[in-house]
Amino acid sequence: MSSLLRAAVVGDPVAHSLSPRLFGLWAKARGRELAYEPLKVTAAAFSETLSYARADGPWLGWNVTAPHKERAAQLADECDPSVDQPGAANVLLFVDGRVLAHNTDVQGFLDSLAAAGAPSFGIRAAVLGAGGAAAAAVAALRRAGAAEVAVYNRGAERAQALSRRFGVSAGTLSDAAAELSAFDLIVNATSAGFAETSPLRAGTAFRPDSWAVDLGYRPKETPFLAQARAGGARTLGGLGMLVRQAALTWRLFFGETLPEDAVAAALADLEAVP
Ligand code: NDP
């Protein structure tokens, strides 16, 4: 039996996080002694908390969530190349008093598309939103060889900033509604995934053969996905990305690639959570 290792998901808020459940499931199934806890840390306290963790341990690693992903990349002693394009880290590893930053969101997003049979190479893709999740989706689609990526956001300034950073086109959410039929894949990376409304106005037409992906996952069918399904588009929720970025985190923590049935079992478990 291995000795007890400590890990956490660090964010604010963090009580809603499904990561402790996910890592608990895998630890039990794979016979690992892992204490994985939600750790609420405000933006103001993040730097100091990380300094304590670096010095005192005994941490295996952290999953980092909003609002700390960019700061995590800046404060780490070393960044893996996976951090470069999104400019954000969602995993910190503690190794011999040093903090190593990684990003598994980008690959987790691509893995979830591939597992669902959704396309990414050679396609025209629209990303709704301009925050950290949108940056990860844009980086992923560029990495996968999308022919075109366009960013649409409620606030024009943030859309422009993301557009300049990645060299993609930008517009408002009203532009997106009017131009939607041009896209093969539409990703909702706004926080409206968890709200009661879609970021697109009622009556927005989806192309029947297109894919609509929501990074949000509560409720399981978000208003955006319901709207897309009603328009005949194929739909994919955000739980797949959540589970697949966590599976990649598990590999960083333990050097072990989880078998596909362990990933599928975790996804089924989370899908059953009300
Ligand atoms: P940020 O706070 O960085 O960005 C939020 C974005 O949502 C901004 O573009 C903001 O627009 C937009 N927005 C917020 N409310 C609305 C609204 N009512 N209508 C339209 N646009 C809105 O958040 P993140 O990028 O970190 O996260 C975005 C979403 O992605 C969250 O729901 C998060 O949980 C999810 N996510 C899921 C993951 C997964 O594994 N499935 C991984 C990471 C994130 P504006 O700039 O105008 O304010």
Side-chain angles (χ1 to χ4, degrees):
M1 186 72 80
S2 51
S3 60
L4 184 71
L5 295 165
R6 210 170 152 214
V9 54
V10 178
D12 182 20
V14 82
H16 68 286
S17 174
L18 293 170
S19 295
R21 183 182 179 105
L22 202 46
F23 280 84
L25 277 172
W26 285 331
K28 191 170 172 212
R30 313 205 60 80
R32 295 219 182 244
E33 297 269 335
L34 177 68
Y36 188 108
E37 60 191 286
L39 202 62
K40 184 179 170 182
V41 177
T42 63
F46 184 73
S47 174
E48 195 180 359
T49 308
L50 184 60
S51 296
Y52 279 128
R54 181 195 273 114
D56 296 340
W59 291 99
L60 174 62
W62 287 355
N63 275 119
V64 179
T65 187
H68 305 311
K69 289 183 185 181
E70 281 86 8
R71 197 84 185 102
Q74 290 158 4
L75 292 171
D77 299 303
E78 202 178 311
C79 287
D80 180 74
S82 60
V83 172
D84 293 348
Q85 260 227 327
N90 68 309
V91 181
L92 293 178
L93 302 178
F94 295 86
V95 181
D96 300 330
R98 288 171 59 76
V99 178
L100 314 181
H102 289 256
N103 186 300
T104 65
D105 277 339
V106 171
Q107 192 57 45
F109 173 70
L110 291 178
D111 288 352
S112 78
L113 291 186
S120 53
F121 176 77
I123 59 161
R124 301 184 73 186
V127 175
L128 313 181
V138 174
L141 289 162
R142 295 286 300 271
R143 182 192 291 176
E148 181 192 333
V149 182
V151 173
Y152 298 96
N153 194 44
R154 182 175 58 177
E157 247 178 62
R158 256 177 126 182
Q160 293 297 343
L162 203 59
S163 136
R164 278 194 297 274
R165 200 169 127 208
F166 287 98
V168 298
S169 63
T172 64
L173 291 174
S174 315
D175 298 334
E179 295 164 12
L180 217 59
S181 61
F183 296 103
D184 307 299
L185 182 91
I186 301 110
V187 182
N188 179 23
T190 71
S191 324
F194 285 94
E196 284 169 10
T197 54
S198 164
L200 297 175
R201 63 172 178 252
T204 299
F206 282 75
R207 217 178 62 209
D209 64 342
S210 63
W211 276 85
V213 181
D214 202 329
L215 301 192
Y217 45 81
R218 286 284 176 267
K220 198 177 151 197
E221 182 173 81
T222 62
F224 169 77
L225 291 184
Q227 193 180 27
R229 190 171 52 79
R234 284 164 287 187
T235 60
L236 176 65
L239 279 178
M241 174 178 173
L242 182 79
V243 171
R244 289 188 183 272
Q245 62 77 26
L248 295 169
T249 301
W250 182 275
R251 193 166 74 192
L252 290 171
F253 281 1
F254 298 112
E256 176 192 32
T257 302
L258 288 167
E260 194 52 35
D261 61 349
V263 175
L267 185 54
D269 177 84
L270 294 194
E271 279 175 344
V273 174

